[in-house]
Amino acid sequence: MIRILLAEDEDAMRTYLARALENAGYDVVAVDRGTAALPLLEREHFDLLLSDIVMPEMDGIELAQRCAEVSPETKVMFITGFAAVTLKASREAPQARVLSKPFHLKDLVMEVERVFDLQSSARI
C-alpha cells in the first residue's frame, strides 16, 4: 500500500484531505507542520510527501528540500492557495508537482495516481 505523509497546518483541510486519500486506498499519516513531518521522514518510509507550502515553523519548500536529503526516494507534491508561492515552488523543487487550491478531491486523487502511474480503474 502506498504511504503518504500529509503536512497541512489547517485542521479542517488536513482532515478532509486525509479522509479522501484514505478512501481512495492510501495509507495516510497527517501532521500539522513541517517540523512534525521531518522526524517521520527520517524514521519511516513514505512514498509521497504531500505538503502545503505555507506553514508555520518550516514551510513546505524547506520540508521538501530536507526530505530530499533524508528520504530521497520519497516523491513530493505541494498544495497551495498562493499563485506566487507556486512559482517559487517550481523553481526550488522542480521535480515536485503543485496542486493549487481550491481543487476537487477527485483532482487530488488523480494527481496522486499520476505520480505513481496508477489508473483509477485499478483502484477498488
Side-chain angles (χ1 to χ4, degrees):
M1 180 180 286
I2 292 174
R3 293 192 77 213
I4 299 174
L5 178 56
L6 170 63
E8 166 62 64
D9 61 318
E10 290 181 43
D11 291 339
M13 180 64 83
R14 185 174 59 253
T15 301
Y16 185 64
L17 296 176
R19 188 172 300 135
L21 291 166
E22 288 166 350
N23 288 341
Y26 299 105
D27 179 22
V28 180
V29 175
V31 297
D32 65 350
R33 63 187 63 126
T35 52
L38 189 57
L40 293 172
L41 287 166
E42 293 170 343
R43 287 193 316 263
E44 300 178 36
H45 169 76
F46 292 95
D47 300 291
L48 176 67
L49 168 63
L50 177 59
S51 178
D52 191 1
I53 295 177
V54 179
M55 294 186 292
E57 297 178 15
M58 177 187 292
D59 69 23
I61 294 171
E62 182 181 351
L63 176 59
Q65 291 168 338
R66 300 286 298 276
C67 177
E69 295 168 7
V70 301
S71 183
E73 71 284 353
T74 301
K75 297 179 186 313
V76 177
M77 182 186 301
F78 294 122
I79 49 179
T80 186
F82 300 95
V85 174
T86 300
L87 295 173
K88 181 180 179 192
S90 296
R91 281 194 316 271
E92 301 286 331
Q95 75 286 0
R97 291 185 188 244
V98 180
L99 190 60
S100 296
K101 296 177 188 174
F103 53 81
H104 292 284
L105 291 178
K106 66 179 181 174
D107 296 328
L108 171 64
V109 172
M110 284 179 13
E111 282 301 313
V112 171
E113 289 173 348
R114 282 189 194 120
V115 167
F116 295 104
D117 295 319
L118 301 173
Q119 298 287 45
S120 297
S121 60
R123 290 217 158 294
I124 296 174

